[in-house]
mmCIF file of all heavy atoms in Angstrom:
data_model
loop_
_atom_site.group_PDB
_atom_site.id
_atom_site.type_symbol
_atom_site.label_atom_id
_atom_site.label_comp_id
_atom_site.label_asym_id
_atom_site.label_seq_id
_atom_site.Cartn_x
_atom_site.Cartn_y
_atom_site.Cartn_z
ATOM 1 N N MET A 112 -196.340 -108.025 42.075
ATOM 2 C CA MET A 112 -195.742 -106.716 42.280
ATOM 3 C C MET A 112 -195.245 -106.631 43.716
ATOM 4 O O MET A 112 -196.038 -106.697 44.655
ATOM 5 C CB MET A 112 -196.755 -105.602 42.001
ATOM 6 C CG MET A 112 -197.371 -105.677 40.610
ATOM 7 S SD MET A 112 -198.435 -104.256 40.253
ATOM 8 C CE MET A 112 -199.730 -104.530 41.476
ATOM 9 N N ASN A 113 -193.941 -106.490 43.878
ATOM 10 C CA ASN A 113 -193.310 -106.376 45.184
ATOM 11 C C ASN A 113 -192.632 -105.025 45.314
ATOM 12 O O ASN A 113 -192.366 -104.348 44.330
ATOM 13 C CB ASN A 113 -192.285 -107.490 45.381
ATOM 14 C CG ASN A 113 -192.886 -108.870 45.336
ATOM 15 O OD1 ASN A 113 -194.003 -109.083 45.800
ATOM 16 N ND2 ASN A 113 -192.146 -109.834 44.784
ATOM 17 N N SER A 114 -192.321 -104.654 46.546
ATOM 18 C CA SER A 114 -191.633 -103.394 46.832
ATOM 19 C C SER A 114 -192.298 -102.226 46.126
ATOM 20 O O SER A 114 -191.645 -101.408 45.480
ATOM 21 C CB SER A 114 -190.158 -103.506 46.433
ATOM 22 O OG SER A 114 -189.519 -104.555 47.125
ATOM 23 N N LEU A 115 -193.602 -102.141 46.263
ATOM 24 C CA LEU A 115 -194.366 -101.130 45.543
ATOM 25 C C LEU A 115 -193.995 -99.726 45.995
ATOM 26 O O LEU A 115 -193.704 -99.486 47.170
ATOM 27 C CB LEU A 115 -195.857 -101.373 45.725
ATOM 28 C CG LEU A 115 -196.404 -102.520 44.874
ATOM 29 C CD1 LEU A 115 -197.739 -102.999 45.419
ATOM 30 C CD2 LEU A 115 -196.546 -102.078 43.419
ATOM 31 N N LYS A 116 -194.027 -98.818 45.031
ATOM 32 C CA LYS A 116 -193.705 -97.418 45.243
ATOM 33 C C LYS A 116 -194.902 -96.558 44.868
ATOM 34 O O LYS A 116 -195.731 -96.966 44.053
ATOM 35 C CB LYS A 116 -192.507 -97.011 44.374
ATOM 36 C CG LYS A 116 -191.265 -97.856 44.567
ATOM 37 C CD LYS A 116 -190.195 -97.464 43.564
ATOM 38 C CE LYS A 116 -188.952 -98.309 43.729
ATOM 39 N NZ LYS A 116 -187.910 -97.938 42.741
ATOM 40 N N PRO A 117 -195.001 -95.356 45.427
ATOM 41 C CA PRO A 117 -196.118 -94.486 45.047
ATOM 42 C C PRO A 117 -196.208 -94.255 43.537
ATOM 43 O O PRO A 117 -197.319 -94.119 43.008
ATOM 44 C CB PRO A 117 -195.815 -93.189 45.794
ATOM 45 C CG PRO A 117 -195.079 -93.644 47.010
ATOM 46 C CD PRO A 117 -194.219 -94.793 46.540
ATOM 47 N N GLU A 118 -195.074 -94.215 42.847
ATOM 48 C CA GLU A 118 -195.091 -94.006 41.407
ATOM 49 C C GLU A 118 -195.648 -95.194 40.631
ATOM 50 O O GLU A 118 -195.845 -95.102 39.416
ATOM 51 C CB GLU A 118 -193.693 -93.641 40.880
ATOM 52 C CG GLU A 118 -192.606 -94.586 41.351
ATOM 53 C CD GLU A 118 -191.841 -94.042 42.547
ATOM 54 O OE1 GLU A 118 -192.486 -93.566 43.504
ATOM 55 O OE2 GLU A 118 -190.594 -94.085 42.522
ATOM 56 N N ASP A 119 -195.907 -96.319 41.296
ATOM 57 C CA ASP A 119 -196.580 -97.446 40.667
ATOM 58 C C ASP A 119 -198.091 -97.258 40.619
ATOM 59 O O ASP A 119 -198.785 -98.071 39.998
ATOM 60 C CB ASP A 119 -196.269 -98.748 41.402
ATOM 61 C CG ASP A 119 -194.801 -99.136 41.329
ATOM 62 O OD1 ASP A 119 -194.201 -98.999 40.242
ATOM 63 O OD2 ASP A 119 -194.259 -99.580 42.353
ATOM 64 N N THR A 120 -198.605 -96.235 41.270
ATOM 65 C CA THR A 120 -200.037 -95.976 41.277
ATOM 66 C C THR A 120 -200.532 -95.742 39.857
ATOM 67 O O THR A 120 -200.032 -94.869 39.147
ATOM 68 C CB THR A 120 -200.357 -94.767 42.158
ATOM 69 O OG1 THR A 120 -200.035 -95.071 43.516
ATOM 70 C CG2 THR A 120 -201.826 -94.404 42.070
ATOM 71 N N ALA A 121 -201.511 -96.532 39.430
ATOM 72 C CA ALA A 121 -202.028 -96.449 38.069
ATOM 73 C C ALA A 121 -203.180 -97.419 37.910
ATOM 74 O O ALA A 121 -203.422 -98.277 38.763
ATOM 75 C CB ALA A 121 -200.939 -96.774 37.041
ATOM 76 N N MET A 122 -203.883 -97.277 36.794
ATOM 77 C CA MET A 122 -204.796 -98.308 36.349
ATOM 78 C C MET A 122 -203.983 -99.325 35.554
ATOM 79 O O MET A 122 -203.252 -98.945 34.633
ATOM 80 C CB MET A 122 -205.912 -97.721 35.499
ATOM 81 C CG MET A 122 -206.978 -98.732 35.092
ATOM 82 S SD MET A 122 -208.050 -99.238 36.459
ATOM 83 C CE MET A 122 -209.082 -97.778 36.613
ATOM 84 N N TYR A 123 -204.105 -100.584 35.911
ATOM 85 C CA TYR A 123 -203.350 -101.652 35.260
ATOM 86 C C TYR A 123 -204.272 -102.450 34.353
ATOM 87 O O TYR A 123 -205.355 -102.871 34.762
ATOM 88 C CB TYR A 123 -202.713 -102.574 36.299
ATOM 89 C CG TYR A 123 -201.487 -101.986 36.936
ATOM 90 C CD1 TYR A 123 -201.597 -100.930 37.833
ATOM 91 C CD2 TYR A 123 -200.216 -102.463 36.628
ATOM 92 C CE1 TYR A 123 -200.476 -100.364 38.408
ATOM 93 C CE2 TYR A 123 -199.090 -101.911 37.202
ATOM 94 C CZ TYR A 123 -199.222 -100.859 38.091
ATOM 95 O OH TYR A 123 -198.101 -100.310 38.659
ATOM 96 N N TYR A 124 -203.812 -102.674 33.125
ATOM 97 C CA TYR A 124 -204.577 -103.377 32.109
ATOM 98 C C TYR A 124 -203.801 -104.589 31.607
ATOM 99 O O TYR A 124 -202.584 -104.528 31.443
ATOM 100 C CB TYR A 124 -204.848 -102.475 30.899
ATOM 101 C CG TYR A 124 -205.607 -101.214 31.201
ATOM 102 C CD1 TYR A 124 -204.935 -100.051 31.547
ATOM 103 C CD2 TYR A 124 -206.990 -101.188 31.116
ATOM 104 C CE1 TYR A 124 -205.627 -98.884 31.815
ATOM 105 C CE2 TYR A 124 -207.690 -100.029 31.376
ATOM 106 C CZ TYR A 124 -207.002 -98.882 31.724
ATOM 107 O OH TYR A 124 -207.696 -97.723 31.981
ATOM 108 N N CYS A 125 -204.496 -105.677 31.333
ATOM 109 C CA CYS A 125 -203.872 -106.771 30.618
ATOM 110 C C CYS A 125 -204.267 -106.712 29.155
ATOM 111 O O CYS A 125 -205.313 -106.173 28.789
ATOM 112 C CB CYS A 125 -204.212 -108.138 31.233
ATOM 113 S SG CYS A 125 -205.944 -108.615 31.171
ATOM 114 N N ALA A 126 -203.400 -107.251 28.313
ATOM 115 C CA ALA A 126 -203.613 -107.261 26.879
ATOM 116 C C ALA A 126 -203.106 -108.572 26.306
ATOM 117 O O ALA A 126 -202.252 -109.238 26.900
ATOM 118 C CB ALA A 126 -202.904 -106.076 26.214
ATOM 119 N N ALA A 127 -203.627 -108.937 25.141
ATOM 120 C CA ALA A 127 -203.236 -110.181 24.500
ATOM 121 C C ALA A 127 -203.186 -109.999 22.994
ATOM 122 O O ALA A 127 -203.917 -109.183 22.427
ATOM 123 C CB ALA A 127 -204.204 -111.314 24.862
ATOM 124 N N ALA A 128 -202.322 -110.780 22.362
ATOM 125 C CA ALA A 128 -202.183 -110.776 20.918
ATOM 126 C C ALA A 128 -201.973 -112.200 20.432
ATOM 127 O O ALA A 128 -201.687 -113.108 21.215
ATOM 128 C CB ALA A 128 -201.017 -109.886 20.481
ATOM 129 N N ASN A 129 -202.083 -112.387 19.132
ATOM 130 C CA ASN A 129 -202.051 -113.716 18.532
ATOM 131 C C ASN A 129 -200.718 -114.050 17.869
ATOM 132 O O ASN A 129 -200.633 -115.021 17.118
ATOM 133 C CB ASN A 129 -203.173 -113.849 17.501
ATOM 134 C CG ASN A 129 -204.546 -113.727 18.114
ATOM 135 O OD1 ASN A 129 -204.808 -114.304 19.168
ATOM 136 N ND2 ASN A 129 -205.421 -112.980 17.473
ATOM 137 N N LEU A 130 -199.696 -113.268 18.154
ATOM 138 C CA LEU A 130 -198.352 -113.495 17.649
ATOM 139 C C LEU A 130 -197.371 -113.542 18.802
ATOM 140 O O LEU A 130 -197.635 -113.004 19.877
ATOM 141 C CB LEU A 130 -197.935 -112.381 16.684
ATOM 142 C CG LEU A 130 -198.760 -112.200 15.414
ATOM 143 C CD1 LEU A 130 -198.336 -110.916 14.710
ATOM 144 C CD2 LEU A 130 -198.578 -113.392 14.495
ATOM 145 N N TYR A 131 -196.224 -114.168 18.586
ATOM 146 C CA TYR A 131 -195.155 -114.128 19.571
ATOM 147 C C TYR A 131 -194.775 -112.676 19.850
ATOM 148 O O TYR A 131 -194.867 -111.810 18.980
ATOM 149 C CB TYR A 131 -193.931 -114.876 19.073
ATOM 150 C CG TYR A 131 -194.147 -116.350 18.838
ATOM 151 C CD1 TYR A 131 -193.669 -116.953 17.677
ATOM 152 C CD2 TYR A 131 -194.797 -117.151 19.765
ATOM 153 C CE1 TYR A 131 -193.847 -118.314 17.455
ATOM 154 C CE2 TYR A 131 -194.987 -118.502 19.548
ATOM 155 C CZ TYR A 131 -194.506 -119.076 18.387
ATOM 156 O OH TYR A 131 -194.688 -120.419 18.165
ATOM 157 N N CYS A 132 -194.328 -112.412 21.072
ATOM 158 C CA CYS A 132 -194.017 -111.046 21.461
ATOM 159 C C CYS A 132 -192.976 -110.407 20.543
ATOM 160 O O CYS A 132 -193.062 -109.215 20.245
ATOM 161 C CB CYS A 132 -193.530 -111.002 22.903
ATOM 162 S SG CYS A 132 -194.786 -111.398 24.131
ATOM 163 N N ARG A 133 -191.995 -111.170 20.092
ATOM 164 C CA ARG A 133 -190.962 -110.603 19.231
ATOM 165 C C ARG A 133 -191.529 -110.148 17.894
ATOM 166 O O ARG A 133 -190.934 -109.290 17.243
ATOM 167 C CB ARG A 133 -189.829 -111.606 19.021
ATOM 168 C CG ARG A 133 -190.267 -112.911 18.377
ATOM 169 C CD ARG A 133 -189.088 -113.895 18.328
ATOM 170 N NE ARG A 133 -189.500 -115.206 17.856
ATOM 171 C CZ ARG A 133 -189.572 -115.562 16.578
ATOM 172 N NH1 ARG A 133 -189.233 -114.688 15.634
ATOM 173 N NH2 ARG A 133 -189.962 -116.776 16.241
ATOM 174 N N LEU A 134 -192.664 -110.724 17.483
ATOM 175 C CA LEU A 134 -193.338 -110.291 16.269
ATOM 176 C C LEU A 134 -194.303 -109.149 16.545
ATOM 177 O O LEU A 134 -194.417 -108.221 15.740
ATOM 178 C CB LEU A 134 -194.074 -111.466 15.623
ATOM 179 C CG LEU A 134 -193.188 -112.654 15.249
ATOM 180 C CD1 LEU A 134 -194.018 -113.776 14.657
ATOM 181 C CD2 LEU A 134 -192.097 -112.230 14.270
ATOM 182 N N VAL A 135 -194.995 -109.199 17.682
ATOM 183 C CA VAL A 135 -195.861 -108.096 18.079
ATOM 184 C C VAL A 135 -195.078 -106.791 18.126
ATOM 185 O O VAL A 135 -195.593 -105.727 17.763
ATOM 186 C CB VAL A 135 -196.529 -108.386 19.434
ATOM 187 C CG1 VAL A 135 -197.284 -107.164 19.950
ATOM 188 C CG2 VAL A 135 -197.469 -109.583 19.317
ATOM 189 N N ALA A 136 -193.822 -106.872 18.560
ATOM 190 C CA ALA A 136 -192.991 -105.684 18.684
ATOM 191 C C ALA A 136 -192.776 -104.975 17.354
ATOM 192 O O ALA A 136 -192.428 -103.792 17.339
ATOM 193 C CB ALA A 136 -191.638 -106.051 19.301
ATOM 194 N N LEU A 137 -192.959 -105.662 16.250
ATOM 195 C CA LEU A 137 -192.748 -105.090 14.928
ATOM 196 C C LEU A 137 -193.974 -104.370 14.378
ATOM 197 O O LEU A 137 -193.869 -103.649 13.380
ATOM 198 C CB LEU A 137 -192.337 -106.184 13.936
ATOM 199 C CG LEU A 137 -191.106 -107.015 14.310
ATOM 200 C CD1 LEU A 137 -190.890 -108.114 13.285
ATOM 201 C CD2 LEU A 137 -189.880 -106.138 14.432
#
């Protein structure tokens, strides 16, 4: 994360799935 802005303030979470992203999107 570069050029951070105050609006970037948040709790950040990672997530994972067992399908390609293009399939997860469905």
Side-chain angles (χ1 to χ4, degrees):
M112 304 186 295
N113 299 324
S114 301
L115 283 162
K116 305 174 181 179
E118 50 262 47
D119 295 318
T120 295
M122 185 72 75
Y123 283 72
Y124 301 90
C125 64
N129 297 316
L130 298 171
Y131 297 135
C132 292
R133 60 185 174 86
L134 301 178
V135 172
L137 304 176

